[in-house]
Amino acid sequence: MKLQKWSDYYNVLFLGLFIAIIVRWTILSFYYFPSESMIPGILPHHYVLVNKLAYGLRLTPGGSVYFEQKVQTGDLVLFALPGNEEKKFVKRVIAAAGDFVEIKAGRVWINGAPLDVRVKNKLETVFEEKFRETVWEIFSLRLHSPTANFNKTQVPEGHFFVLNDNRDQLEDSRTFGMVPAKFLSGKVLVSFRVSDILRTHAITN
């Protein structure tokens, strides 16, 4: 395409910005993650890349969902909570609608069976948790902390139960309850630091 005048450049720029906004709104988006709640998987001050079509097309938080797909245990998800749609959370899905979830002495039980857990490092602070074929890392299983127990509860229809990978951080379904599936924003694909990307780029050149 050959551009003939300045107005053509403006039109191309406007079209590019429009497409970028649509992609960020409905397909892929980056979010800054400041907290320690998801270590060791996501470190503080990292960014996360989110697939916003993973669970269906959502135009607004809490609005209609088109081509809906259900979350699975082990998924790392981005979501909002009713009444505060502007604030976004990243947490690990532990139980889906209809599941019974319980935490006893730091061990998570789903439908009457404990999740497989094994020590990942010599300091016994990082563990691997497994549900069927899905494996993820968690930080800390302190047996006597206030976070170590949660009474057996069934996840209601249209909701899911989430936990922090850093189990000593309490801002998850243990405190704010079950998450309505219609407030899902997407599935986290990867986390990264901008400085790491720049460093890799510099090394490969």
Side-chain angles (χ1 to χ4, degrees):
M1 181 178 68
K2 186 176 181 180
L3 302 179
Q4 301 292 338
K5 51 189 178 180
W6 281 109
S7 61
D8 292 335
Y9 289 97
Y10 286 124
N11 290 337
V12 170
L13 179 60
F14 176 79
L15 179 61
L17 288 174
F18 178 75
I19 292 173
I21 291 171
I22 294 299
V23 168
R24 190 182 189 284
W25 188 22
T26 61
I27 302 176
L28 285 173
S29 190
F30 296 98
Y31 292 87
Y32 176 68
F33 192 82
S35 83
E36 299 180 350
S37 63
M38 295 305 294
I39 58 173
I42 304 177
L43 299 179
H45 312 300
H46 277 50
Y47 287 82
V48 293
L49 175 64
V50 178
N51 176 4
K52 303 188 83 170
L53 290 179
Y55 305 112
L57 177 61
R58 291 166 167 80
L59 300 179
T60 58
S64 298
V65 183
Y66 306 93
F67 316 110
E68 183 174 11
Q69 301 292 321
K70 291 185 177 180
V71 298
Q72 303 293 326
T73 294
D75 285 357
L76 199 56
V77 297
L78 178 80
F79 61 92
L81 292 174
N84 190 12
E85 288 81 0
E86 296 303 315
K87 183 177 181 181
K88 301 294 185 182
F89 297 86
V90 172
K91 308 292 179 188
R92 181 82 57 185
V93 175
I94 297 297
D99 289 337
F100 287 90
V101 59
E102 184 178 11
I103 304 174
K104 297 188 290 187
R107 192 80 178 270
V108 177
W109 294 62
I110 304 297
N111 298 323
L115 295 184
D116 291 334
V117 176
R118 73 179 185 90
V119 177
K120 186 67 183 295
N121 69 347
K122 293 180 180 179
L123 297 177
E124 296 189 357
T125 55
V126 178
F127 300 79
E128 275 189 350
E129 210 166 49
K130 180 180 179 182
F131 179 78
R132 294 174 183 166
E133 301 305 315
T134 304
V135 180
W136 59 92
E137 291 185 351
I138 63 173
F139 179 75
S140 182
L141 278 172
R142 291 192 300 172
L143 303 185
H144 302 294
S145 89
T147 66
N149 296 282
F150 181 83
N151 292 332
K152 187 174 183 180
T153 305
Q154 186 174 28
V155 181
E157 190 65 32
H159 291 72
F160 55 94
F161 180 93
V162 296
L163 288 176
N164 295 315
D165 285 348
N166 180 359
R167 295 292 161 81
D168 285 337
Q169 299 286 318
L170 261 178
E171 193 177 25
D172 53 27
S173 285
R174 291 170 292 181
T175 54
F176 56 60
M178 308 296 175
V179 180
K182 64 181 181 179
F183 282 87
L184 268 172
S185 295
K187 183 176 182 178
V188 175
L189 300 177
V190 67
S191 67
F192 60 92
R193 287 190 305 181
V194 173
S195 60
D196 291 338
I197 294 176
L198 296 176
R199 187 180 302 114
T200 301
H201 181 73
I203 291 172
T204 56
N205 284 283

